[in-house]
């Protein structure tokens, strides 16, 4: 559905540049790097959910043969709590320094308290056992309702709520109109409370790094992250080594989904390397990943929506409590800010509460907070539509946000594509198709839901160089987690008018390309396409000038077309075109190497909207819900590489189906995660999912040279509500908590049968 | 750091000698699909590993003249899958074995390892119990036979004596009109562990069930033979009343726990549902309908 059809490369499903390496096993992930003299680091982690650390004695560990260095919080730069926030992006370094190594208190099972580097992993692990930590075990709470009780054990005494120490670390609100007045006008008001469990991003590649600190302090980091500059900055701040001395080299990344936007190992490994004088490698086990890296928040949300008989929503109120884990900073902005945004609601109050509790610190997960909020809001939307006897998509169309709508979180929308997504869903073959009947003992249902995510711009740098043989190397500063290299190659090939295969896109390290912000917020292709476009335009300008010089005509009389310089018209002169290859050959004599770089703080990233349709089939004896058909509709701005855009939509849906049906952190009575592995933390496998159909609606972003909008996060936002509504449609039972796992569905069906019998 | 000694004896006597000599520090390695995972996670740290795959008897699959089968304890799931006859005679045992791990794991995973791992949720065990399999074990004091249901002693434990190695499974010959089936409940569609697993083996003559055995997994500390369920089916035409009686026997046999994999109530209910479904599949196979 490309709006512009005369493009040669933009909109093509070109072969992914990293594909061959990945399928042949050549791709270098973080754990694949080794160095001569390398030793291994291991982390000693707290067994307690909450404990004061009275003392740490590392002397026995230090004496174990093979041990080369031991690190505790004394080796990590302290950012004192009472001196105020020190922000790096959305992370407060006061929390980061305490998250990578516990200081006065251990705040969750798995919280690092010390680390050892030794000649083998086994010796390092043995040495960890020799470290004696004197803990004063404290009462703890993990669930929101426990953490906000007045008598709950408080994680951070300095944190006050209503004048008293509390685990409520913050509140955010978006407000529009007057909800009390609004609800008075409503004919139908529905209010429901929902809970969701913490879920992990589930990247296949565990956190890993190899770090070398030379005697002169020059530090090299090989690690897998969503931002080598974030790794450099955080490591610098937490170790005191200046950024100019740290070269952070991004490895190929085996999944991140937001979870690799912070560091865990790098500052610790850097200090181990510095103290030992040896390169130090650290690789987390899956269990460490599950216990100590950020799942997203568990939540408790209450949503109330009031509408008139004609379907007009007059008021809405949402209250979203999100678990932050050990330190403040849950994604309440996504929950409170995104959930009502698809709708034009005159009276709205959307509140988010940030709640600390004794589990690992939350990390970003694909549209952080937005899926949690949308789950609650979209489920209530479905109930209101039902109460009004309206088709749920018509109800959404009736209230849809459009150009000129003022969103509660601030902006007045420019031209947006939300309505187009609802209309496309309504007109889809899927929505028109009858549900059909499954085998005996099954029931089918269909549900729909919408979702919104902000999308981000921010800092990006690019360098476009013409090689001596007339090909192109593009360097950007963003780890590629969603196909940005292929997208950039398409754009560059288009602009330069050359074959896609002649463009090589690489990701630079921190000392070879200019600052580029994280891969996150669905920002990478939006932002890097801008800097790459401007760089390519500069290169084209140079090429025109070179041709003009050779032809001895004015540069304005030269045009760039189909990979070659041509005179703009016969009047300009009669010259054979000069190709990129020819101009590259002549470059040394004509002014030197050809290349250009651009660095920008990009703006103009429009938010993204999606609308999903989901069919489920439920085995009513066993309570197993299977998604049998799924269509994701999204306003994608402009699909530079449609295959990758569809991949993003399908990947988001797959994660949402897991969140809806089976994924959850299960804690045991000691406050420890009871399912820290992929056997019992049940992400969907391939056979659990149908082929996920995608409808890409293209409403180009007018503020972007190619019309790009971020696409990576929106597709997770609507999923859980779409699945929940489909299950309701099948069974006539509404579920107000996730996951909708077989025992839960089965118990609800049994309760229904029992109720009917009584 | 203690090293691990790896031994790959060519004969059973050699293996038994080495295994008995090493005492409790030794572990038997068949496919390793449980052992290596446990070693990596630090659950076990064996001093000696005795790899039994090089011993011919341990991987052999033999069909006797009477139609019985003897399969080596370390025969892989894939070798059984590719055997021209085994899956035709024991489709339920084969489907239980083939559910261990993933396709890739099947090249290594074995029914012997699955049994000796001692998990109440092992997929091949209920099917083997239903089949009436007899195992041969050999130790320093010679060979002996046990019913397969008598092997597990509890989670992670078996009734084998110190130094004894599981050698083979013998599946009996059976009259025409016999077949079996295995079903398990998992929240996903694959790559998962049974919340409940059930094997049913039947003989049907002239529409009447003349023999039936039911094995039930993941609902008690060990996989169980549910004799009452089999009895409820024998003599019936597998009508609803008989099926419900057998399902009730399965539910009554359950002694499950509430855990991350399922609730007590859910497991009990599921045992009954799966009894009916598995019996239907086995009956269809037995009658060729």
């Amino acid at each position: 559905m490309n709006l512009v059809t005369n493009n040669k490369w933009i909109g093509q499903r070109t072969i992914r540049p990293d594909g061959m390496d990945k399928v042949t096993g050549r791709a270098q992930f973080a754990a694949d790097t080794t160095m001569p003299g390398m030793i291994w680091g291991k982390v000693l982690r707290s067994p307690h959910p909450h404990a004061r650390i009275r003392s740490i004695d590392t002397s026995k560990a230090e004496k174990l043969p093979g041990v080369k260095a031991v690190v505790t919080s004394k080796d990590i730069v302290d950012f004192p709590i009472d001196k105020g926030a020190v922000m790096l992006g959305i992370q407060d370094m006061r929390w980061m320094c305490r998250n990578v190594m516990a200081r006065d208190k251990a705040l969750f099972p798995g919280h690092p308290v010390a680390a050892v580097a030794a000649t083998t992993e086994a010796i390092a692990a043995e040495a960890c056992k020799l470290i004696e930590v004197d803990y004063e075990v404290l009462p703890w709470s993990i669930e929101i309702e426990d953490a906000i009780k007045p008598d709950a054990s408080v994680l951070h005494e300095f944190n006050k709520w209503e004048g008293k120490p509390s685990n409520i670390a913050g509140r955010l609100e978006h407000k529009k109109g007057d909800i009390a007045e609004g609800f008075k006008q409503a004919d139908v008001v529905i209010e429901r409370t929902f809970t969701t469990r913490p879920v992990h991003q589930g990247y296949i590649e565990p956190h890993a790094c190899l770090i070398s600190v030379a005697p002169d302090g020059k530090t090299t980091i090989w690690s897998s992250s969503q931002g080598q500059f974030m790794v450099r900055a955080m490591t610098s701040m937490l170790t005191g080594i200046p950024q100019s001395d740290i070269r952070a080299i991004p490895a190929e990344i085996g999944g991140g989904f937001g979870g690799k936007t912070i560091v865990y190992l790098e500052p610790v490994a850097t200090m181990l390397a510095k103290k030992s004088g040896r390169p130090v490698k650290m690789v987390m086990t899956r269990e460490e990943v599950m216990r100590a890296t950020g799942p997203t928040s568990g939540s408790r949300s209450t949503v109330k929506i009031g509408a008139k008989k004609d379907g007009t929503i007059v008021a809405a109120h949402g209250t979203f409590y999100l678990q932050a884990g050990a330190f403040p900073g849950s994604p309440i902005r996504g929950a409170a800010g995104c959930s009502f945004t698809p709708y034009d609601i005159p009276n709205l109050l959307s509140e988010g509460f940030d709640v600390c509790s004794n589990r690992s610190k939350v990390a970003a997960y694909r549209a952080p907070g937005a899926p949690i909020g949308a789950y609650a809001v979209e489920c209530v939307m479905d109930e209101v539509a039902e109460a009004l006897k309206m088709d749920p998509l018509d109800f959404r169309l009736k209230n849809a946000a459009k150009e000129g709508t003022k969103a509660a979180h601030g902006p007045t929308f420019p031209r947006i594509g939300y309505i187009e997504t609802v209309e496309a869903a309504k007109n889809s073959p899927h929505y028109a198709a009858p549900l059909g009947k499954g085998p005996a003992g099954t029931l089918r249902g269909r549900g729909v839901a919408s979702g919104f995510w902000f999308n981000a711009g921010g800092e990006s740098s690019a360098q476009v160089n013409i090689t001596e043989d007339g090909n192109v190397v593009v360097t950007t500063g963003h780890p590629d987690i969603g196909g940005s290299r292929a997208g950039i190659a398409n754009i560059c090939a288009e602009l330069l008018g050359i074959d896609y295969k002649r463009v090589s896109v690489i990701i630079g390290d921190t000392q070879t390309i200019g600052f580029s912000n994280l891969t996150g917020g669905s920002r990478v292709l939006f932002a890097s396409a801008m800097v790459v476009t401007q760089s390519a335009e500069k290169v084209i300008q140079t090429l025109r000038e070179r041709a003009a010089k050779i032809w001895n005509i004015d540069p304005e009389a030269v045009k760039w077309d189909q990979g070659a310089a041509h005179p703009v018209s016969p009047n300009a002169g009669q010259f054979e075109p000069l190709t990129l290859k020819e101009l590259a050959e002549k470059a040394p004599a004509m002014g030197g190497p050809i290349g250009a770089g651009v660095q920008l703080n990009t703006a103009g990233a429009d938010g993204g909207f999606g609308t999903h349709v989901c069919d489920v089939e439920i085995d009513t004896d066993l309570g197993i819900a299977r998604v049998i058909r799924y269509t994701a509709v999204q306003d994608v701005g402009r699909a530079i590489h449609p295959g990758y855009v569809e991949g993003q939509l399908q990947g988001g849906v797959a994660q949402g189906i897991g969140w809806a049906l089976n994924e959850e952190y299960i804690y045991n009575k000691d406050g420890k995660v009871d399912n820290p592995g992929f056997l019992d933390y049940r992400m969907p496998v391939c056979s659990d999912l149908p082929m996920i159909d995608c409808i890409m609606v293209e409403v180009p972003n007018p503020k972007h040279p190619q019309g790009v909008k971020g696409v990576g996060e929106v597709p997770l936002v609507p999923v859980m509500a779409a699945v929940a509504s489909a299950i309701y449609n099948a069974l006539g039972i509404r579920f107000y908590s996730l996951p909708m796992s077989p025992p839960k569905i089965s118990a609800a069906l049994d309760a229904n049968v029992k109720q009917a019998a009584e | 750091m203690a090293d691990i000694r790896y031994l790959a004896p060519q004969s059973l006597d050699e293996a038994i000698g080495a295994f008995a000599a090493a005492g409790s520090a030794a572990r038997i390695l068949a496919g390793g699909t449980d052992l290596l995972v446990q070693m990596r996670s630090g659950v076990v740290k064996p001093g000696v590993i005795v790899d039994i795959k090089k011993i011919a008897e341990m991987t052999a699959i033999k069909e006797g003249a009477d139609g019985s089968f003897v399969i080596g304890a370390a025969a892989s799931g894939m070798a059984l899958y590719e055997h021209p006859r085994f899956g035709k005679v024991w489709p339920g045992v084969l489907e239980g074995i083939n559910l261990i791990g993933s396709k890739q794991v099947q090249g290594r995973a074995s029914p012997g390892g699955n049994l000796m791992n001692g998990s109440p949720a092992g997929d091949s065990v209920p099917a083997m119990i239903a089949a009436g399999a007899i195992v041969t074990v050999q130790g320093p004091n010679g060979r002996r036979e046990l019913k397969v249901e008598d092997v597990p002693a509890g989670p992670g434990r078996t009734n084998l004596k110190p130094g004894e190695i599981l050698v083979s499974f013998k599946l009996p010959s059976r009259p025409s009109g016999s077949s079996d089936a295995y079903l398990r409940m998992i929240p996903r569609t694959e790559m998962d562990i049974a919340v409940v697993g059930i094997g049913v083996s039947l003989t049907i003559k002239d529409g009447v069930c003349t023999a039936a055995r039911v094995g039930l997994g993941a609902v008690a500390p060990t996989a169980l033979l549910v004799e009452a369920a089999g009895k409820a089916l024998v003599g019936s035409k597998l009508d609803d009343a008989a099926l419900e009686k057998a399902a009730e026997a399965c539910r009554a046999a359950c002694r499950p726990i509430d855990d991350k994999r399922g609730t007590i109530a859910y497991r009990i209910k599921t045992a009954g549902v799966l009894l009916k479904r598995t019996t239907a599949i086995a009956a269809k196979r037995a009658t060729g309908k």
Side-chain angles (χ1 to χ4, degrees), chain A residues 120 122-123 126 129 619-624 626 662 666 674-675 678-685 687-688 742-743 746 750, chain B residues 1 40-41 45 184-195 259-263 265-267 269-271 273-274 277:
Chain A
T120 69
I123 294 172
E126 189 66 29
K129 289 186 196 152
D619 176 332
T620 50
D621 282 328
L622 296 178
I624 302 170
R626 302 250 184 258
N662 280 306
I666 300 167
D674 202 22
N675 56 340
F678 284 144
L679 180 58
D680 288 306
Y681 179 85
R682 292 190 165 86
M683 297 175 67
V685 298
S687 54
D688 292 331
S746 172
D750 287 348
Chain B
M1 295 292 111
R40 289 196 69 157
S41 68
K45 286 181 183 160
R184 64 174 182 176
M185 190 283 156
I186 52 172
R188 286 187 289 212
T189 45
E190 60 179 333
M191 304 287 287
D192 214 330
I193 189 162
V195 175
D259 73 356
K260 59 197 172 189
R261 291 170 187 157
T263 59
Y266 185 71
R267 285 189 153 118
K269 179 186 172 186
T270 300
V273 173
L274 289 192
R277 291 185 185 181

Side-chain angles (χ1 to χ4, degrees), chain B residues 236-257:
Chain B
S236 80
K237 293 192 166 182
L238 303 181
D239 49 283
D240 287 351
L243 287 170
E244 180 47 39
K245 207 173 157 193
E248 180 49 39
C250 287
R251 289 193 290 264
C254 293
R255 283 174 284 131
I257 51 169

Side-chain angles (χ1 to χ4, degrees), chain A residues 167-224:
Chain A
N167 289 322
I168 298 178
R171 177 179 177 275
L172 166 154
E173 74 165 37
H174 296 299
K175 202 175 169 183
K176 203 179 150 186
D178 179 341
I179 56 166
E181 284 303 311
F183 281 117
K184 280 183 199 162
Q185 302 162 33
D187 298 310
V188 171
V189 176
I190 288 176
E191 180 176 6
R192 300 282 182 250
T193 294
F194 301 83
T195 58
T196 69
R197 301 296 302 160
V199 294
H200 199 270
Q201 296 83 350
Y203 32 82
I204 297 297
E205 182 196 26
H207 299 264
C209 65
L210 169 63
I211 296 178
S212 163
V213 182
D216 63 359
K218 292 279 189 286
T219 300
T220 309
I221 301 174
W222 290 266
S223 77
S224 163

Side-chain angles (χ1 to χ4, degrees), chain B residues 92-107:
Chain B
V93 174
L94 184 64
E95 61 202 356
I97 293 169
N98 287 157
L99 282 170
I100 304 167
S102 61
K103 262 276 189 305
Q104 293 89 330
V105 168
Q106 280 289 306

